[in-house]
Amino acid sequence: MTVEPPGVRTRDAEREETDAQVIERSRDEPELFAVLFDRYADAVHRYAARRLGPEAAEDLMAETFTTAFQRRHTYDLSRGDARPWLFGITTNLVSRHRRSEARRFKALARVPEPVEHEEPVADLAVARAGATGVRRELAAALSGLSARHRDVVLLVAWADLDYEEAAQALGVPVGTVRSRLHRARSRLREALGGCDPTGPADPGRPADPADPADRAAHARSRRSGRSRRSDSFREADTP
């Protein structure tokens, strides 16, 4: 008779459960919400870092999951994937820092060469475009987009959401996402001489050790213990 190590069944079950099932269970067992954190914290952190910089990303990521935890009782359980919900929360939080984001992109547009300790604005976009000089130009082009156009193009390009998921994240019809994305990409292509570097990133992209956003996420992940996260969700629970 084979005896499984303690916790094996629990870990396997967590991997098999949909996000919606995890959220539903966390309503009665708050500490289970840590499973959602483990699944998506790094992705949310990378997205926030690319939009507002690594200094602000940690707080934005933490606030995203705190807000999600507090709103878990209102989550639509018919939606198995919680990524659109989480990235929608993050994007709403970014909206409080519109001026900071615009200043960041404008500042990066003036940097002639990558700064060693600066978060790359568009490493994925650069790779997809195959042009080493697009980073500065892309930053300038993004700074020229309206907030609603920038939100939709970056949810697709940097959060890896499809049109329907982006619509869920923003709380708008899919047709609105298509229209905004078309306009945003047209403006980006015009600013970049016909190049469109904002296609969806590869969902299976591994962490890049050369990317400060990935390094920061990895370091944060190692610093944050699972039990500490579970305790924080349990303590934050309110009747």
Side-chain angles (χ1 to χ4, degrees):
M1 178 177 178
T2 302
V3 178
E4 295 179 344
V8 169
R9 289 185 180 275
T10 300
R11 291 194 298 271
D12 288 344
E14 288 172 355
R15 283 194 291 267
E16 294 171 358
E17 285 183 319
T18 66
D19 296 339
Q21 289 172 326
V22 170
I23 293 171
E24 183 176 25
R25 291 180 60 204
S26 76
R27 292 173 178 177
D28 295 323
E29 302 175 78
E31 65 276 9
L32 293 180
F33 199 82
V35 173
L36 213 63
F37 184 98
D38 291 340
R39 289 178 180 177
Y40 302 121
D42 287 351
V44 169
H45 188 277
R46 280 194 297 269
Y47 174 73
R50 291 187 172 101
R51 296 203 62 169
L52 293 178
E55 295 82 5
E58 188 76 19
D59 289 340
L60 204 66
M61 181 270 293
E63 190 171 359
T64 293
F65 282 93
T66 297
T67 301
F69 178 75
Q70 293 170 345
R71 296 178 182 174
R72 70 192 188 282
H73 291 281
T74 64
Y75 182 77
D76 182 355
L77 297 175
S78 68
R79 296 178 175 177
D81 186 353
R83 289 182 311 120
W85 180 55
L86 292 171
F87 281 113
I89 292 173
T90 307
T91 302
N92 285 334
L93 294 174
V94 168
S95 69
R96 302 177 184 176
H97 307 275
R98 292 297 187 196
R99 293 182 180 179
S100 297
E101 182 183 38
R103 285 197 301 267
R104 170 177 165 75
F105 286 141
K106 289 177 181 178
L108 289 172
R110 295 192 297 268
V111 177
E113 296 294 340
V115 178
E116 181 179 358
H117 298 294
E118 177 58 81
E119 159 68 18
V121 173
D123 278 358
L124 294 182
V126 170
R128 292 180 64 83
T132 57
V134 76
R135 180 184 299 171
R136 180 175 56 183
E137 289 77 6
L138 180 59
L142 288 173
S143 70
L145 293 179
S146 67
R148 63 181 183 176
H149 288 143
R150 189 161 59 235
D151 282 344
V152 71
V153 78
L154 296 184
L155 279 170
V156 172
W158 288 349
D160 294 343
L161 301 186
D162 61 26
Y163 292 178
E164 185 174 346
E165 291 169 339
Q168 292 177 17
L170 296 172
V172 299
V174 175
T176 300
V177 167
R178 293 182 184 275
S179 176
R180 291 181 185 177
L181 192 59
H182 174 74
R183 293 178 183 179
R185 283 181 168 165
S186 294
R187 293 194 62 180
L188 290 176
R189 280 194 295 268
E190 181 180 353
L192 298 172
C195 173
D196 180 10
T198 59
D202 178 6
R205 167 185 175 269
D208 181 359
D211 185 339
D214 288 346
R215 290 204 307 268
H218 178 67
R220 177 190 46 69
S221 179
R222 293 185 63 184
R223 290 196 305 268
S224 302
R226 170 71 180 274
S227 60
R228 181 172 60 82
R229 293 194 296 269
S230 299
D231 289 344
S232 67
F233 287 126
R234 186 185 300 110
E235 292 167 359
D237 192 28
T238 55

